Amino acid sequence: MKTAVFLFGLVMILCFLRNPDPLYGQESDVLSSLEDLENPEEADDAEWLEKLWELRENPLNLNSASLGELLQLPFLDIITARKILKYRDTRDFFSNIRDLLAIEGLSEEIVHAIQPFVTAKPVSLPGSFIYRIQVRTEIPRRLGYRSQIYRNPFYIQQRLLFQTRYNISGGIIWEKDAGEPDYFDYGSFYLHYHPPGKRFSIIAGDYYQKIGTGLISWSPYGSPLSIQGPNPFHSGGQGNRSTRESGFFRGISLNYSPIPGLNIRFFYSRNQLDASRDKITGEVTSLYLTGLHRTSGEQEKRRYVTENVTGFTTELDYSFINFELAHLYFRYEPVVKFLGSGISYTSIINRFTGANLNAISELALKDLKIPAFFHCSSYRDNQANWNFIAYYFHPHYSTFHGKTIGGFQAEPSNKSGTAAVWQYRPVKGFMVGAVAHFYRENKSPDSNPFTAQNYTAEIVLKRWKNVIKLQWRRTYRPLSGEQEYKKSDGLRISHETEIEKMIRLVNRVDLRWINPLVTESGFYGMSFYQQLELSKPSWSAAVRWSVFDIPDYEMRIYEFETDLPGSIRSVLLNGNGYKLFLILRLKFGRSVQMDFKYQQRYYPDETTIGSGADSFPKPRIHELRFSIICRR
C-alpha cells in the first residue's frame, strides 16, 4: 500500500510539470460530482442519469427548446434559462454553442458543463430514435442459482426513445433483474405530445410529477447534497425513464396555460404496486419496493395493491415571483396499514427569482393537519455560490411519492435540519467549497436525540493539463443506546491529467478512520486506484486497477466508476482485495455503438463472499456487461 501511495505522488508531480496548456477537465462536472454525495452508495442507475444519457444522445436544440426543456440541463436555474430565451428572441437564433458566453451569468465553466447536452441547429429536423439493450451477468454463479432458488442469471434491459417530426416523443422500457424467470418482468411506456407555440401538452402512460421541492411528489429519486449544491427545484410532469419499478404514476397528465403566466396541470393515475401482507389476516403491512421477483415469495407480492391518484396544480408566474398550489388525493385498495385507505396532500409553494438571489419555500399538509416544510435560498454570481436550506417534517408526516435532500432515496418524514453549501472561484481554474448538514429525528426513543452532523470541504485546482482535487469529510453519528457519538473522517486526493491529446490518466487515494475505534485490526481504511483512458474517433477504452485494505465495514469506502451508457456504479469496498475493470467502446459510424465491460474483484483473505443465497462460492468474482445502441 505504501508503494501505491508513492507511485501516486510521483505520477502527480511528473504530470503537473508537463505541457502548460489550459485544461477544463475531460469529464463533465455533472458526473464527477457524484463522488461528493453524502450517500454515494445510492448512485447506481438513477433516473436523472438516464436523462443525461438521453440528452447526450439527443441534445436539446437551443433554437427551439422551451423553458421547461432548458431546465432539464444540469447547473441551469430558471434565471439563466430565461436569459437564454430572451437572447434567442432578440437575436433570432444561435449559430454556435459558444454564443451562450455572450449571456450574462453563463460562465465558461457552465457552458463547458452543459455543452455535451445542447446543440445549435435549424429548427426543422426529421424524426429520430435510439434503441439500447444492456446485458450483464456474474461468474461464478451465486449459491441461489445452484440451489435453484433463482432462475435466469442474466440482467437484461431494453430501452427505446423516439422523437417524431409531429412533436410527439416517447419511450419504452423492458427489464428483468438477474434471477427473475420472466424476460419482461418490468415494462414502462409513455407518449408526450408538446406542440410548439401551443398552450397545452399531454403525457399518456407512465410519468412522474415534480411539485415544488418534492414534499408530496417528485421523481423516483431525491436530491443529493454535494459541493455543487442541491439540484434545482423545477415543477412539471415528465415521462418515466427509470427502471425503478415503483414511484411513478400510470395514466394521463394534461398541462394547460390559458393565459401567459398561468399554468394548470391535471393528472390521473391508476397503478398496481407490490406489497407485503400478513399470511394469516391478509392485511397489507408494507409496500415492497425492491422490484425483485426471483423467488416464489417475492412473486406473491407482485401487483397486490392498486393505487388511485387524482390531482391538480395551479401555477401563477408574475415577473420575479411565482406561486403554486397543489392538491393530490391517494386511495389504496386493499387498505395499506401505514397509509390508510385514503390520503390527501395540499401544498403551497412560493418562488422568488432575482438577478443573483433565488428562494423557494413549500408548506405541505397531510390530511390538512400534519405539516412538512422546506426552504432553500441561494445566491450566485460569477465567483461565489451560496445555498442555505432549512426543513421540518412532522413525525407522522409520510408520503410514498415525495423525496427530499440528502440522498436519492431520502424521504420527508420525522426529521428536521439545516444545511449550508458554499462554493467560491476566486480565479479561473481554482475552486474551494464546503458543505455543513445538521439534522435530527423529531421523535426518537431517546429523551435527548442526538443531532447528526456532516461536514465536507473541497479544493479543486485546474492548471495546465491537470485537475487536482482534495476533499475532507467528517460525520458525527450517535453510538447505539448511548448519548456519546462516533466520529468518522475521510480524506480523498485525486488527480487527472491529459498525457497526450487522446490519453488521460486518473489517480485517486481514499483514507477513512473512525474514533472511537471499531476494530483492533487496523486504525484506518485505504483504497487507491489508477485509471487510463484512450480515445479515438471510432473507438475508446478505459482500464482501472484498484487495491484496498479496509479492516472493518464501518470504514467502508465507495468507489465511483464509469459504466455502460446510461449507468454509473458506486462499488462498496470492504476487506482486503483488488479490483480491475476494462471498458471498450466501438463506434460504427453514427448509427451503431457497442460497449463491453469486464470487471474482476478478488479477496485473497476470504474463501467465500457474501451470505445466504446471494453469496459467491469463491473469493474471485467476474462480471461481464454488454451494450448495443442503435440510433437514427
Side-chain angles (χ1 to χ4, degrees):
M1 187 64 70
K2 293 181 179 179
T3 303
V5 176
F6 172 76
L7 290 175
F8 171 80
L10 181 61
V11 171
M12 186 171 165
I13 294 172
L14 291 176
C15 292
F16 202 72
L17 296 176
R18 283 186 50 82
N19 197 343
D21 292 333
L23 175 71
Y24 271 87
Q26 303 300 307
E27 231 178 27
S28 170
D29 291 338
V30 182
L31 303 183
S32 61
S33 66
L34 281 173
E35 298 180 336
D36 303 332
L37 302 183
E38 281 191 331
N39 298 295
E41 67 270 26
E42 299 176 345
D44 292 358
D45 299 324
E47 164 272 334
W48 57 267
L49 191 60
E50 288 289 352
K51 182 58 185 175
L52 289 183
W53 172 78
E54 180 185 344
L55 286 172
R56 186 183 291 271
E57 295 294 318
N58 195 12
L60 281 180
N61 190 354
L62 293 173
N63 291 316
S64 62
S66 64
L67 177 63
E69 290 172 331
L70 288 175
L71 291 177
Q72 298 174 18
L73 295 171
F75 305 137
L76 211 62
D77 57 26
I78 192 169
I79 299 176
T80 310
R82 285 173 175 168
K83 288 180 179 179
I84 293 176
L85 294 180
K86 184 178 180 180
Y87 181 90
R88 188 177 70 190
D89 292 340
T90 56
R91 302 296 179 93
D92 292 334
F93 66 94
F94 289 91
S95 59
N96 190 285
I97 296 176
R98 303 288 294 179
D99 292 347
L100 292 171
L101 292 173
I103 301 174
E104 182 184 0
L106 273 173
S107 64
E108 184 173 346
E109 293 185 340
I110 295 179
V111 174
H112 170 79
I114 68 174
Q115 186 171 354
F117 314 115
V118 296
T119 185
K121 294 182 179 180
V123 175
S124 298
L125 291 174
S128 62
F129 76 87
I130 304 171
Y131 170 75
R132 185 186 77 194
I133 180 171
Q134 288 188 6
V135 180
R136 61 177 183 249
T137 189
E138 297 168 322
I139 301 173
R141 304 296 184 207
R142 299 175 186 262
L143 292 183
Y145 296 104
R146 299 191 174 190
S147 58
Q148 297 186 345
I149 298 176
Y150 304 151
R151 303 293 181 84
N152 192 318
F154 292 93
Y155 171 89
I156 302 175
Q157 179 195 124
Q158 300 180 75
R159 186 181 298 267
L160 175 65
L161 302 170
F162 59 89
Q163 169 77 54
T164 73
R165 65 182 65 187
Y166 305 107
N167 303 302
I168 298 177
S169 59
I172 305 173
I173 301 173
W174 303 274
E175 186 217 35
K176 71 167 290 295
D177 293 298
E180 295 176 339
D182 188 356
Y183 277 91
F184 299 94
D185 178 79
Y186 166 70
S188 180
F189 168 76
Y190 76 91
L191 287 175
H192 188 189
Y193 178 54
H194 43 94
K198 301 295 183 180
R199 297 181 177 179
F200 69 94
S201 63
I202 300 174
I203 302 176
D206 297 340
Y207 63 94
Y208 53 84
Q209 291 286 349
K210 287 187 173 182
I211 299 176
T213 64
L215 293 185
I216 60 177
S217 181
W218 199 247
S219 73
Y221 297 92
S223 178
L225 189 60
S226 71
I227 297 291
Q228 307 296 336
N231 290 337
F233 299 102
H234 306 308
S235 295
Q238 296 183 17
N240 179 46
R241 300 176 180 89
S242 173
T243 55
R244 190 182 179 209
E245 300 181 25
S246 60
F248 59 84
F249 297 129
R250 175 164 287 177
I252 189 168
S253 174
L254 171 64
N255 188 86
Y256 179 58
S257 180
I259 59 175
L262 178 61
N263 191 62
I264 303 173
R265 276 182 287 154
F266 301 95
F267 45 92
Y268 170 77
S269 169
R270 181 180 176 86
N271 195 12
Q272 292 181 309
L273 308 176
D274 295 354
S276 301
R277 57 180 184 260
D278 189 287
K279 294 183 179 180
I280 299 177
T281 63
E283 182 183 25
V284 177
T285 56
S286 64
L287 297 178
Y288 178 68
L289 305 179
T290 67
L292 296 175
H293 306 116
R294 302 166 299 180
T295 66
S296 58
E298 292 173 345
Q299 293 171 9
E300 289 177 357
K301 302 175 183 179
R302 187 171 183 175
R303 299 177 183 174
Y304 187 73
V305 172
T306 300
E307 178 191 63
N308 294 275
V309 185
T310 55
F312 73 90
T313 67
T314 301
E315 187 175 357
L316 180 62
D317 192 357
Y318 180 76
S319 184
F320 55 87
I321 299 178
N322 176 285
F323 294 97
E324 185 175 0
L325 173 66
H327 181 78
L328 283 76
Y329 179 75
F330 295 80
R331 184 165 54 88
Y332 295 92
E333 302 173 353
V335 176
V336 180
K337 186 176 181 180
F338 68 97
L339 291 175
S341 59
I343 311 172
S344 68
Y345 293 92
T346 304
S347 178
I348 301 175
I349 303 105
N350 171 251
R351 296 179 179 87
F352 171 84
T353 55
N356 301 103
L357 179 65
N358 288 342
I360 181 171
S361 299
E362 180 177 9
L363 173 63
L365 295 174
K366 178 182 177 182
D367 292 329
L368 293 178
K369 59 183 179 180
I370 302 175
F373 175 78
F374 187 93
H375 173 83
C376 178
S377 298
S378 62
Y379 174 85
R380 190 180 75 184
D381 56 29
N382 292 332
Q383 288 186 316
N385 185 7
W386 289 85
N387 291 272
F388 173 76
I389 297 166
Y391 56 88
Y392 169 83
F393 310 136
H394 190 276
H396 298 297
Y397 186 90
S398 62
T399 171
F400 175 54
H401 290 275
K403 293 291 182 291
T404 188
I405 66 161
F408 289 111
Q409 302 301 327
E411 297 181 354
S413 179
N414 190 30
K415 186 188 293 185
S416 59
T418 59
V421 182
W422 171 68
Q423 191 181 78
Y424 182 57
R425 301 175 185 268
V427 295
K428 190 175 181 179
F430 180 77
M431 187 277 289
V432 58
V435 178
H437 186 195
F438 310 91
Y439 58 91
R440 63 185 294 176
E441 293 183 345
N442 294 319
K443 185 177 181 180
S444 171
D446 300 325
S447 58
N448 184 24
F450 183 85
T451 299
Q453 305 170 44
N454 294 341
Y455 301 95
T456 303
E458 183 176 282
I459 297 175
V460 179
L461 176 63
K462 300 178 180 181
R463 180 176 174 82
W464 304 338
K465 291 203 168 188
N466 298 269
V467 179
I468 296 176
K469 179 186 291 187
L470 175 65
Q471 183 189 94
W472 168 81
R473 177 176 295 171
R474 171 172 289 181
T475 62
Y476 291 92
R477 296 290 185 273
L479 290 171
S480 178
E482 302 179 24
Q483 292 299 320
E484 299 180 358
Y485 61 83
K486 175 180 63 180
K487 181 176 67 175
S488 172
D489 288 274
L491 179 65
R492 172 179 299 159
I493 306 173
S494 64
H495 168 247
E496 60 184 71
T497 182
E498 185 184 22
I499 300 177
E500 297 294 342
K501 187 176 181 180
M502 297 183 180
I503 303 177
R504 180 170 169 261
L505 179 66
V506 182
N507 306 274
R508 197 180 87 177
V509 172
D510 267 297
L511 292 172
R512 285 288 306 275
W513 61 96
I514 292 177
N515 184 27
L517 289 176
V518 293
T519 177
E520 296 180 357
S521 59
F523 176 70
Y524 61 86
M526 182 176 185
S527 74
F528 167 76
Y529 77 68
Q530 285 188 313
Q531 179 168 323
L532 180 65
E533 300 175 7
L534 307 175
S535 177
K536 295 286 185 179
S538 59
W539 65 274
S540 61
V543 59
R544 177 186 293 184
W545 170 76
S546 305
V547 57
F548 52 93
D549 186 3
I550 303 167
D552 191 89
Y553 182 76
E554 290 287 341
M555 299 180 186
R556 63 191 182 277
I557 294 174
Y558 290 90
E559 183 181 294
F560 164 87
E561 69 179 38
T562 52
D563 202 57
L564 299 180
S567 59
I568 287 180
R569 301 190 69 193
S570 184
V571 181
L572 186 152
L573 301 180
N574 184 34
N576 175 34
Y578 308 90
K579 185 169 71 71
L580 168 75
F581 78 74
L582 171 67
I583 297 179
L584 176 63
R585 172 171 298 175
L586 303 175
K587 295 182 179 180
F588 302 92
R590 166 66 183 165
S591 301
V592 180
Q593 175 181 311
M594 301 176 66
D595 292 81
F596 306 86
K597 181 176 181 179
Y598 166 74
Q599 185 189 82
Q600 179 185 135
R601 285 173 288 159
Y602 177 52
Y603 301 85
D605 299 335
E606 306 292 337
T607 56
T608 62
I609 304 298
S611 61
D614 287 326
S615 64
F616 294 93
K618 297 181 180 180
R620 192 184 300 271
I621 304 169
H622 308 267
E623 186 172 351
L624 302 174
R625 298 187 174 211
F626 173 68
S627 169
I628 297 179
I629 299 175
C630 301
R631 62 175 69 88
R632 189 186 73 83

